[in-house]
Amino acid sequence: STFNAGLVLEHRRGSLAETIALAEASQRALLAAVQAIPAGDVIRDRGVRSPGGRRVTIAMILSAEASDGRKHAQQIRDFAESRL
């Protein structure tokens, strides 16, 4: 998507290895932050709604992040296989 392409341009580094290392560090930081959240807060409704009116919770955001991560991991695997 155009949004993702913009992020790639903004965060691209000199090498693929450097980009992967930064992505991994970001993922580790996210996991550390999530582990610090009290369990009850993960599903707590704090009244935040999406523009469409859908309830937004930490659990929902994490689920979307995980889904996005799986999608991008598959895209990377597909790209790597196409280069063989």
Side-chain angles (χ1 to χ4, degrees), residues 66-82:
S67 176
D68 199 45
R70 285 188 298 273
K71 175 184 171 186
H72 291 303
Q74 186 60 52
Q75 290 171 330
I76 291 167
R77 284 190 293 273
D78 292 346
F79 175 76
E81 288 176 12
S82 75

Side-chain angles (χ1 to χ4, degrees), residues 45-56:
D45 183 351
R46 297 195 178 266
V48 177
R49 300 293 181 262
S50 71
R54 187 171 165 198
R55 183 174 66 128
V56 177

Side-chain angles (χ1 to χ4, degrees), residues 24-44:
E24 289 173 340
S26 177
Q27 186 74 12
R28 284 190 301 275
L30 173 63
L31 292 173
V34 168
Q35 289 173 344
I37 299 170
D41 287 351
V42 173
I43 59 171
R44 183 166 286 124

